[in-house]
């Protein structure tokens, strides 16, 4: 037994479908008795689904070899590779709309062009700030600080103002070398008066155990503008080293939320005829 080539099988299927048209006086959309037009879509409310000869219009994939007559009518318009398979239209959660060019009717909003099998529209749209019309508002915010050890550097400081360094060397008067007036101011030490020496100067160099007490010597220093010289220092202190900001939501409208655009709807089942009368075209 010889098998026909694929084009021949397709031609035979079309021929049989066309002969059925000639034998049937009329066709009904959801007849379910073979008088429905092949590829037609109808709506039913059956809890058991679509009647015999129909598939749900749910976008399922069919093989061209098995459903060649239906493929010859809708092709791969709704999906499929077009060589071995094709897909049915998917009307789950969708509403059909008429195809054709854009329209502009006086007194009505213009419409855009619609192609067969085109998917368009959305169940919601996110409005921009300009579209939403949200007035200016304030979002309260809270800052929560964290603290910890922080290294701080104190820069060096150059001293200024009055500074005085004084050193007094004294020697006790001994049994010789004491004079009341230094000669040439060279080689003398200040000494307290002691014993029979005339003092208060002496040429005896101060040494261990030769001490004297000076009385009547005083000094005053004005330190109002005195600033000491200090080196740079690095210290560790407790301070704010970070934190987090919590922005509270505003109680007004939320421009970022999707705005529903669905009109009132009712769920019914769309069915597409995979068998029946092959339609004729003028």
């Amino acid at each position: 037994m010889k098998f026909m080539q694929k084009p021949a099988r397709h031609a035979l299927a079309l021929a049989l479908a066309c002969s059925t048209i000639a034998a049937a006086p009329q066709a009904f959309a959801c007849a379910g008795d073979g008088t429905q037009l092949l590829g037609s879509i109808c709506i039913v409310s059956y809890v058991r689904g679509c009647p015999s000869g129909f598939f749900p219009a749910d976008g399922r994939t069919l093989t061209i070899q098995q459903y060649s007559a239906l493929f010859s009518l809708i092709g791969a318009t709704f999906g499929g590779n077009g060589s071995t398979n094709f897909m049915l239209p998917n009307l789950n959660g969708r509403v059909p709309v008429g195809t054709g060019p854009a329209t502009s009717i006086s007194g009505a909003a213009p419409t855009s062009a619609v192609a067969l099998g085109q998917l368009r529209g959305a169940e919601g749209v996110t409005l921009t700030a300009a579209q939403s019309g949200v007035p200016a508002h304030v979002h309260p915010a809270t800052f929560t600080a964290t603290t910890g050890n922080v290294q701080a550097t104190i820069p060096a400081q150059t001293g200024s103002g009055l500074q005085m360094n004084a050193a007094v060397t004294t020697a006790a008067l001994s049994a010789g070398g004491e004079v009341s007036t230094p000669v040439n101011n060279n080689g003398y030490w200040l000494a307290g008066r002691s014993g029979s020496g005339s003092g208060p100067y002496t040429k005896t160099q101060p040494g261990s155990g030769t001490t004297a007490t000076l009385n009547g010597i005083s000094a005053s220093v004005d330190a109002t503008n005195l600033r000491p010289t200090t080196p740079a220092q690095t210290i560790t202190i407790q301070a704010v080293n970070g934190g987090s900001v919590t922005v509270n939501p505003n109680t007004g409208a939320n421009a970022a939320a999707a705005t529903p655009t669905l009109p009132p709807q009712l769920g019914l089942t769309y069915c597409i005829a995979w068998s029946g009368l092959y339609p004729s075209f003028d």
Side-chain angles (χ1 to χ4, degrees), residues 12-267:
L12 178 60
L14 293 176
L16 292 175
C18 292
S19 64
T20 306
I21 294 176
Q26 58 185 354
F28 299 95
C30 293
D33 58 0
T35 61
Q36 66 273 3
L37 287 177
L38 184 65
S40 62
I41 293 178
C42 64
I43 304 175
V44 299
S45 60
Y46 309 145
V47 295
R48 297 180 60 180
C50 297
S52 298
F54 288 82
F55 282 135
D58 56 5
R60 68 182 60 191
T61 301
L62 303 177
T63 62
I64 296 176
Q65 181 178 0
Q66 188 173 0
Y67 299 95
S68 56
L70 179 59
F71 173 73
S72 69
L73 293 172
I74 68 174
T77 304
F78 306 98
N81 58 27
S83 58
T84 60
N85 61 56
F86 65 103
M87 296 174 66
L88 298 181
N90 189 351
L91 283 166
N92 287 343
R94 291 188 173 275
V95 177
V97 64
T99 60
T103 61
S104 180
I105 302 174
S106 177
T111 63
S112 57
V114 181
L116 184 64
Q118 176 184 351
L119 297 175
R120 68 176 196 165
E123 294 186 353
V125 60
T126 300
L127 301 179
T128 64
Q131 293 171 329
S132 65
V134 178
H137 57 281
V138 176
H139 290 268
T142 303
F143 175 69
T144 303
T146 58
T147 60
N149 292 334
V150 176
Q151 298 292 320
T153 300
I154 301 176
Q157 177 178 263
T158 302
S160 64
L162 176 64
Q163 299 190 46
M164 183 182 69
N165 296 315
V168 177
T169 303
T170 66
L173 290 174
S174 59
E178 299 86 359
V179 295
S180 59
T181 302
V183 180
N184 298 327
N185 295 325
N186 187 18
Y188 291 88
W189 282 268
L190 181 65
R193 188 175 180 82
S194 175
S196 59
S198 58
Y201 304 99
T202 180
K203 293 183 67 69
T204 303
Q205 183 176 355
S208 177
T210 58
T211 61
T213 301
L214 298 179
N215 296 318
I217 297 177
S218 64
S220 64
V221 177
D222 183 3
T224 303
N225 299 316
L226 178 63
R227 185 176 67 183
T229 298
T230 57
Q233 301 180 63
T234 300
I235 61 174
T236 301
I237 60 174
Q238 280 281 325
V240 175
N241 59 6
S244 60
V245 176
T246 302
V247 179
N248 299 316
N250 187 268
T251 56
N254 186 0
T259 301
T261 58
L262 285 174
Q265 297 178 343
L266 175 66

